[in-house]
Structures are given as structure tokens and as C-alpha cells.
Amino acid sequence: MRFREKLGKEMLLFDGAMGTQLQAKGLKAGELPEIWNLTHKETVRDIHRAYVHAGCDILKANTFGANALKFEGTPYTVSEIVQAAVENAQTAAAESAREVYVALDLGPTGKLLKPYGELEFSKAYELYKEEIVAARENVDLILIETMGDLYEIKAAVLAAKENTDLPVVVTMIFDEQGKLLTGADIETALFTLEGLGVDMIGFNCGLGPVQMLPFVQKIGAISSTPIAVNPNAGLPECIDGVTSYNVSPAEFAEALSEIAGCDGVWAVGGCCGTTPAHLEAAARACKGIAPKAIKEKNFTAVTSYGKTVYMGERPILIGERINPTGKKRLKAALVEGDEGYIFSEAVAQADGGAHVLDVNVGLPEIDEPAVLERTVQGLQGITDLPLQIDTSDPVAMERALRIYNGKPLINSVNGKQESMDAVFPLVKKYGGVVVCLTLDEHGIPDSAEGRIQIAEKIIKTAESYGISKKNLIIDTLAMTVSTGADNAKITLEALRYIRRTLGVHTVLGVSNISFGLPKRDSINAAFFTLAMENGLSAGIINPKSDVMMNAYYAFCALKGLDENFEQYIGHVTDSAAPANPGMGTDLKTAVIKGLKAEAGEQAKTLLKDVLPLDIINTYLIPALDTVGQGFEKGTIFLPQLLMSADAAKAAFDEIKQVIAQSGAPANDEKKNKIVIATVKGDIHDIGKNIVKVLLENYGFDVIDLGKDVPPEVILETAKRENVRLVGLSALMTTTVANMEITIDLFRREYPDCKIMVGGAVLTQDYANRIGADFYSKDAMGSVRYAEKLFSK
């Protein structure tokens, strides 16, 4: 029976850890586990056999880190490593009388994707594709696991779905607050991956089964997709120099059985620290639990990389300002490539109260596919609002959808067969909620009945493409009342029927109603209020218009959608507050919002009248502190933190130029030096690179030794440069031992140097046991420790 056919018929059991099992068999700290597929075949096969004997249904091939980045500089190819790993797993599976499936195991690349990091989305795709092509003929499914970046997951999923028809399972590593490294929460990750059409979604690594249970319960309440859960055997500890986990097989099995009984859970298993004994106990505890039937959830939701916006009783606002129609300044910005102006429009609309931003760059004199792709990617670097990709060009639409990080609104499809045949396959492939215009080959009907009929045709056709009506939002087309007295009435009648009888969400370009009339805002606001009362789910409006926003907040308050009138009062109070247009405030805002070009320009202007050091201390450092404090409180997430750092760097670069031209020293005080490195054997340097960016922006001189750095090199550099602080990073359980070795070397050879450590597998207790001076859960913690240390 194929894997997809087996789903839901019985509780399936993934195997447990491979890395810690190999360590027990002699794998040295920093040694690449995947090489053992060739050099220690029988050892790897014996581990697989032990998991089969324990009762596991799914073996993860030993390919977690088998990507070209990791094996660069080794004598091995990705293809031979992957094929050997799959052969080892299949050999063990074939020896079983039971049906045992083999999964190609894909882990993170170890790099952060652009615009927040250095790896191109297309390069990440190719890295995963290489592994998938090598394994696709001999595996039963693809497991994409231990992922902390939603964008990287998308690259891996597309590589899987475009190069195979195998089932795809995605399990992610969330922190204790339920966030991925790059800021996505559980619902955002779920809706994005459901849009991409994966077969199972869930969690692994980072947490034990007890800590993971609330997350499983949360995702089960909103998921229409089966769930897989592979926890660690608790949290890591360092015992006699070896990474150990503190949950026994019996304790693990008991906690895992509670997870297996949750809504939507169809597969369970283990991750770091779990052994065949853990999985044997889990098999006894979980195999008798029948998977619960999956109930379709009817959420209409769009997402960015880190935020979900639901269509519901309270209407949402789609900012209309990034559309060149009737906007000379925006047209000029698009032609001239002035992204700064476009980004400032986005920020202004977000500040004005928009929930989603429309993005339309359609001009005949530009390359629309290229500009739309670039603009969408740039906007996702400076705002966490979901975007509405607005184009009539299918080529431009696909390019934007491919690089979009999240589940977007898509504007639009219509009732023409040609349009549906072009757009619906893209919606099905990439995911999204699509705006459906009620027009067809005969034009726009002049009756509500005619528009309703087109809506029904679109809904039926979408269903034939496998697109649920929860992923449709119908536009009954606001036509200007200046050319027809009944136009508003017809639009509203159709809208009301579609929302309340067909049960589909609705959207309107509200301002279309007033074309050709004076004082358009008055007409727009009145029509907007009528539309909301008749079931409008989303209005495409100008959120910078006080009249429109007043109408919106007043409507929500009067309909009981604004508890204690809090949002209404907040809005009218903010609208009445005087603006503070000071230049310093503008520079701070540019840094806080991550507006790189604007930050550079504001710094240039300030430098005409303000001393460079005063700009740094009065404007830049306070702005970075604001962002850093938001990150520490959980109100700002990693992408915003990094984009703010880039904006600050742009300002610093302008300041450095002026200082260099003046011939004056940049700072009378010598910068404090810090050495950072990813320890020997570990090629994952995302965390280290983030720490570097932030430390540099706070004025520290960072010596970055890179990844896979031997302890002796770190020590030699620290002594030569006379540094007082070294930062060490590690992601893998198989490499953290080298962190302890490095610390031990420093304690013997350079005891006055402080050591701070960080990494996904570390805890405070672990850091204490290996003798670190400071453990940081995030990059800002490293900055705060450095500030404290060097202030003494």
C-alpha cells in the first residue's frame, strides 16, 4: 500500500534520532554523519534495523544534511551520499515482514535566505532538487524537517513537488513561544503550507513531547491537513562531555500517546535523543490509537512570512496606494526604479491601518514580471503585512507567487474560461486566496443576477481545479454611479447574496463607485459603509484617507466588532495628535521600519548640520534599541530586526564617508573586539551571522572566523587580537561537543577571555555544564551581554 493510501488508516510511527545513535557507535564530534552511509554501511543499517524491530513504520534515510553546501570540499558527491543512504534504509525495510516506508530526509541548508540572508531562493531550490532527484526513484515520501524558515521550506516543497509526485511531509522547529526562527507563528506556517499542498504538517526537534503538546492542540484546531509530531527526548544535557536527553522511554511513550490522541494527528515519532527503546515504548503506547478523521476547516486566510489575516465578520482593509493608475509619482518611481518611494507608501499604509497591501506595477514601459517580482520581495523585507499580488499578466503573476513568502491574495481571475485556465493552476500550485471578478466573455452584467451567475460558474470551475471556495473572494464590481443610478444597488445586491447565500467572502474596489464625481471621499465612505452592512469582507481603499478610516472604525464600533470602542477611540485620538516632523525622528523611523535607502538619505541630510557621533548616539543607537527591545518582548521578529540593521548600516556608511573625507578618527575610543565562530564540524552559520550584524551595528569590531572552525584557530585568533569575548555557535547535536572542547582549551590557555554560546540544541543548563560564561537564546541577548561586559 502506498504511503498516501495508508494515511489515516492507522497511527503511523516515524523512527527516532540518527545522529545521537551514530555518536554512540563512534561518530566523532564534527564528523559528517552522512559520510557513514558509505564508510560504515552496516552500522547505519543496524540502526535502521533496530528502529524497524522497535515497530517503526517510517525510516528516515541518513540524509538530513546531505546538501552541496555541506559537502563542498569533500571527495563525496551529493548523489552518491544520498543514494547510499537510501539503499541502507531500504535494505533494513526490505528485511521486515511488515510494510516499512523510507523517507528522504531534508534538513535546513544552514543559510538564511534573501532578503534577510545571503542565499538566493533559487539556489536553495537547486540544493534541494539535487537531493530529491538522486533519491526519487527509491523512496516512498519526502520529509522536510527541523525547519525554522518558512521561505526555505517553500523552496524545498517546490523542489519536491516539481520533480516528483511523492508525498511531502513538513515538520518545523518552533521555540517555546510558538515561533519559527524567522517569525512565523503556527497558524501562518500552517496556512502557507496547506496552500502549497503538502500531505502532512507538524513539529519536530527543539522541544520534548510535554512542551510540544499545546502546539499540537493548537494546530489541530485549525488544520485541514494531517499532522505529524516527532519530539525530542526532552531537553539536552551535557553529561561527561556527551550530549544526553533526560526523558526515559516510558516517559516519552506516555507523553507521545497523549499527542497521538489529539485531533488531526496521524503520525508520531522521535527526534534528538530518542532511541530504539524510546520508539519501542512509543509503538506499544500509540499503535492502538486510531487516527481521528480530519475535519475540513473553513478559514479564509492570507499570510505574510509572519502574520495571518483572516476574512471574517470584521471587514479587512486592503491598501490601494501601490497601483500606478492615476498616480504620477508612483509611475515615475516604477520607471526610475525608486524602490524607496514604493516602500514609504507601504509603510504609510501599514501605519494608517491597512491589513493587506495591494501591489500593482502594471505599466507598458517597464518589464512587469521582473519589476513585480523585485517589488514583492522588497516589500516583504520592510513590512509583515500580507500582500495582494495584482496583475493581469500570468507570467508576472507566477514570478511573484513563486518568490512570495506566505500565502497571498491574488488579484485576479474572472469568469472568462481563458482567465480561469491561466490563473487557477497557479493558485493550486502556489496557494493563495484569489479575487474573482464577476465578468466574463460578454462583459460585466448589468444585473445582480448576471453577476451572481458568473460567481457560481467561477466557484464551480475552481472546485474542478481542487480549489475550495474558502480560497475564493468574489468582487461584484463597483461601477461608477455617475453613469448609472442603480450601479451601487446592483453591486450591493449581488454582494449580499454571494456572502450570505453562497457563503463566499467578498471584496470591492470601493473608490470605483465615485469616478467622475466631486468630493469623492464622501461618496466612497457612504458606499463603503453600505457595502460592509451588506456583507463586504474586504475593502480595497486608501487607508491614508481620514474619511474612509473614520467610516470603517465607526462601522465596526456600531456593529459590536470593537470591544469597548478601543480601536475607534485609538484611531480618532491618533488622528487628532499633531505630527512631529523632526529630521531625527525621520531617521529613527527609517531605521525602525527597515527603510534602507531612506535611512541613508536622512543621514546625509543630518550630516550637514549634526556631528557624526551625535547622529550615532542620538538617533541610530536609540532606534536600534527600540527594535531590539521589541525583539526581546516578542513584538518584533527576526526579519524586521535584520532589515532595521541593514537600514542602520546604510546610515553608518554615510557617516563613515564623511568622517573619512574629514580625516578625523571615527571614534576616539578603540572599538571592542569580539571573535565569533561556528564550531568545528558544523556548517550552520545563520545564528552566528545574525549576531555579527547586530554586534557591528552596536559598534563592536567583530572578527568572524566563519563555520567549521577548529578550537585551536579560535584560540590563536583571540590571543593574537587580545580579545576579551568570544562567541561560539552550534546547531547540531553531533557538533556541540566541540563547543565544550573549545571552552576547555580557552580555560587552560586563555582563561581571562569570556565565552558566550548559542544554538538551537543548547539550553542554559547545557551551557552551564560546558563552562560557558553566558548563554543567549537570541541575537539581542549577545548584544546585551557584550554591552554589559565592556562597560565594566
Side-chain angles (χ1 to χ4, degrees):
M1 185 181 295
R2 292 183 180 272
F3 182 75
R4 281 197 182 101
E5 297 168 353
K6 191 87 166 184
L7 286 178
K9 290 183 169 58
E10 62 184 69
M11 186 63 62
L12 295 177
L13 192 66
F14 278 91
D15 64 9
M18 174 61 73
T20 46
Q21 288 297 291
L22 290 175
Q23 283 180 311
K25 303 287 186 182
L27 180 75
K28 296 176 182 176
E31 189 178 359
L32 296 176
E34 294 81 11
I35 290 175
W36 276 42
N37 293 317
L38 294 167
T39 60
H40 297 72
K41 283 189 176 185
E42 281 306 310
T43 301
V44 174
R45 291 177 182 182
D46 283 345
I47 294 170
H48 287 314
R49 290 178 181 119
Y51 281 123
V52 172
H53 181 73
C56 296
D57 302 298
I58 306 161
L59 298 177
K60 301 188 288 280
N62 183 28
T63 55
F64 178 82
N67 64 69
L69 290 180
K70 191 169 186 177
F71 282 86
E72 191 175 11
T74 73
Y76 305 101
T77 67
V78 169
S79 180
E80 64 181 323
I81 289 288
V82 168
Q83 289 172 2
V86 171
E87 181 184 352
N88 292 336
Q90 287 288 12
T91 298
E95 293 169 0
S96 172
R98 296 183 296 109
E99 189 163 34
V100 177
Y101 302 100
V102 172
L104 172 65
D105 187 2
L106 301 178
T109 62
K111 297 289 185 183
L112 202 58
L113 272 64
K114 290 184 177 180
Y116 318 116
E118 60 191 48
L119 188 65
E120 294 281 358
F121 181 83
S122 58
K123 175 62 175 176
Y125 173 91
E126 291 298 330
L127 289 169
Y128 288 118
K129 177 182 176 181
E130 184 178 17
E131 296 180 72
I132 289 162
V133 168
R136 62 188 175 189
E137 299 301 325
N138 297 298
V139 294
D140 303 293
L141 66 146
I142 294 172
L143 172 65
I144 301 166
E145 68 162 343
T146 323
M147 303 297 277
D149 180 358
L150 195 55
Y151 206 26
E152 185 174 39
I153 296 172
K154 180 172 182 174
V157 170
L158 288 177
K161 295 182 79 68
E162 290 180 351
N163 294 282
T164 75
D165 59 359
L166 292 169
V168 177
V169 179
V170 177
T171 58
M172 297 162 281
I173 178 169
F174 285 85
D175 65 19
E176 291 174 345
Q177 285 70 49
K179 298 285 185 182
L180 295 180
L181 172 68
T182 50
D185 55 20
I186 290 170
E187 59 189 350
T188 296
L190 171 73
F191 292 132
T192 299
L193 295 177
E194 284 190 333
L196 288 167
V198 305
D199 294 87
M200 298 187 84
I201 299 169
F203 311 100
N204 80 294
C205 205
L207 301 170
V210 172
Q211 295 88 356
M212 211 171 267
L213 177 60
F215 296 167
V216 178
Q217 293 168 333
K218 182 173 182 177
I219 199 171
I222 57 176
S223 177
S224 301
T225 302
I227 299 164
V229 187
N230 296 327
N232 288 350
L235 301 176
E237 297 178 342
C238 181
I239 300 175
D240 298 328
V242 177
T243 303
S244 304
Y245 290 80
N246 57 13
V247 174
S248 70
E251 292 168 329
F252 181 81
E254 182 180 359
L256 196 65
S257 67
E258 189 170 357
I259 286 174
C262 291
D263 287 346
V265 175
W266 285 8
V268 293
C271 197
C272 298
T274 56
T275 66
H278 285 84
L279 273 299
E280 185 173 5
R284 289 195 299 268
C286 300
K287 282 285 194 163
I289 299 174
K292 295 180 181 178
I294 302 292
K295 297 177 182 178
E296 181 71 17
K297 314 298 192 305
N298 290 313
F299 296 109
T300 298
V302 293
T303 79
S304 63
Y305 65 83
K307 177 175 285 188
T308 295
V309 172
Y310 290 93
M311 306 282 178
E313 189 178 2
R314 184 188 180 99
I316 69 163
L317 305 179
I318 303 170
E320 68 180 9
R321 297 294 299 170
I322 305 176
N323 185 322
T325 304
K327 303 181 187 70
K328 291 182 180 179
R329 180 65 186 88
L330 182 60
K331 285 182 180 179
L334 289 169
V335 171
E336 297 163 8
D338 181 3
E339 291 183 339
Y341 177 78
I342 299 169
F343 296 167
S344 67
E345 279 287 333
V347 169
Q349 291 184 97
D351 289 345
H355 305 112
V356 176
L357 299 179
D358 183 71
V359 186
N360 184 313
V361 300
L363 287 175
E365 58 265 48
I366 65 172
D367 180 352
E368 185 182 354
V371 173
L372 184 59
E373 177 183 13
R374 187 169 63 246
T375 302
V376 165
Q377 195 161 46
L379 285 168
Q380 290 210 284
I382 58 95
T383 180
D384 65 349
L385 294 186
L387 303 182
Q388 175 170 271
I389 295 170
D390 186 354
T391 179
S392 59
D393 182 348
V395 175
M397 184 179 289
E398 177 156 25
R399 283 184 62 171
L401 287 173
R402 190 171 187 83
I403 57 87
Y404 183 80
N405 192 358
K407 179 184 176 184
L409 262 176
I410 303 168
N411 191 355
S412 58
V413 72
N414 61 56
K416 296 178 182 178
Q417 193 63 45
E418 178 185 22
S419 173
M420 293 187 287
D421 289 344
V423 174
F424 280 149
L426 300 180
V427 177
K428 180 64 177 175
K429 178 177 180 178
Y430 295 106
V433 174
V434 62
V435 173
C436 307
L437 309 182
T438 51
L439 62 87
D440 62 10
E441 290 84 356
H442 305 291
I444 302 172
D446 57 7
S447 69
E449 292 78 12
R451 297 182 201 183
I452 291 166
Q453 288 173 4
I454 293 174
E456 291 172 330
K457 178 174 72 172
I458 293 172
I459 293 167
K460 185 176 179 180
T461 306
E463 187 179 3
S464 73
Y465 278 93
I467 300 168
S468 166
K469 69 179 184 180
K470 70 182 180 183
N471 287 316
L472 308 178
I473 179 168
I474 307 293
D475 187 340
T476 56
L477 299 172
M479 308 295 290
T480 178
V481 291
S482 64
T483 61
D486 289 336
N487 281 349
K489 180 182 176 183
I490 292 167
T491 298
L492 295 175
E493 185 180 333
L495 183 144
R496 183 171 58 252
Y497 183 89
I498 288 166
R499 180 72 195 99
R500 295 178 180 166
T501 302
L502 298 184
V504 181
H505 285 286
T506 58
V507 63
L508 287 174
V510 175
S511 62
N512 294 340
I513 202 72
S514 64
F515 279 142
L517 294 174
K519 294 192 175 182
R520 294 181 59 193
D521 262 1
S522 298
I523 295 288
N524 293 343
F527 177 67
F528 187 31
T529 303
L530 286 170
M532 289 188 286
E533 177 61 17
N534 279 276
L536 182 67
S537 307
I540 304 174
I541 69 162
N542 177 10
K544 295 161 71 174
S545 164
D546 281 342
V547 175
M548 295 297 287
M549 296 306 291
N550 288 342
Y552 174 73
Y553 285 109
F555 174 83
C556 291
L558 293 170
K559 288 289 288 185
L561 304 174
D562 182 2
E563 189 174 354
N564 298 322
F565 279 53
E566 288 178 4
Q567 294 190 29
Y568 174 79
I569 293 170
H571 167 70
V572 296
T573 303
D574 289 344
S575 298
N580 182 0
M583 184 60 69
T585 301
D586 287 343
L587 177 57
K588 289 180 188 176
T589 300
V591 172
I592 291 168
K593 298 294 186 182
L595 299 173
K596 184 175 178 180
E598 187 171 334
E601 289 301 316
Q602 295 295 346
K604 275 185 187 178
T605 304
L606 275 174
L607 283 164
K608 296 174 183 177
D609 303 304
V610 184
L611 292 174
L613 203 56
D614 287 343
I615 296 174
I616 293 171
N617 292 330
T618 306
Y619 304 129
L620 293 180
I621 295 301
L624 287 170
D625 279 339
T626 297
V627 175
Q629 289 161 10
F631 182 73
E632 290 166 329
K633 293 175 182 176
T635 58
I636 286 176
F637 302 103
L638 181 63
Q640 296 147 289
L641 186 72
L642 294 178
M643 298 309 290
S644 292
D646 276 350
K649 184 177 183 300
F652 278 124
D653 288 345
E654 296 296 335
I655 292 168
K656 289 176 185 176
Q657 285 187 32
V658 170
I659 292 172
Q661 290 165 6
S662 70
N667 194 332
D668 291 334
E669 298 180 16
K670 187 175 181 181
K671 281 187 175 181
N672 295 302
K673 292 182 179 180
I674 301 173
V675 169
I676 63 173
T678 300
V679 299
K680 180 176 174 60
D682 203 317
I683 60 98
H684 300 86
D685 59 0
I686 290 176
K688 172 186 67 65
N689 292 343
I690 295 167
V691 169
K692 176 185 177 182
V693 168
L694 297 183
L695 286 172
E696 287 179 336
N697 271 337
Y698 274 83
F700 296 102
D701 183 3
V702 180
I703 302 169
D704 182 2
L705 298 181
K707 59 194 178 187
D708 190 19
V709 186
E712 298 78 14
V713 172
I714 301 172
L715 175 66
E716 178 187 337
T717 306
K719 293 174 73 173
R720 184 181 67 248
E721 298 293 334
N722 193 30
V723 304
R724 292 173 54 196
L725 178 61
V726 167
L728 303 177
S729 173
L731 175 73
M732 308 294 293
T733 55
T734 55
T735 61
V736 288
N738 282 328
M739 189 177 278
E740 183 178 13
I741 291 169
T742 304
I743 293 172
D744 183 63
L745 182 63
F746 268 78
R747 294 295 176 251
R748 288 185 280 110
E749 302 288 337
Y750 194 27
D752 291 338
C753 185
K754 300 295 184 182
I755 308 287
M756 61 181 181
V757 298
V761 295
L762 295 180
T763 63
Q764 182 66 62
D765 180 67
Y766 195 106
N768 293 342
R769 287 173 180 266
I770 64 176
D773 295 290
F774 179 74
Y775 161 68
S776 181
K777 292 182 69 173
D778 55 53
M780 279 307 302
S782 300
V783 173
R784 301 302 184 213
Y785 179 69
E787 287 181 319
K788 181 178 179 181
L789 177 67
F790 288 111
S791 69
K792 293 181 180 179

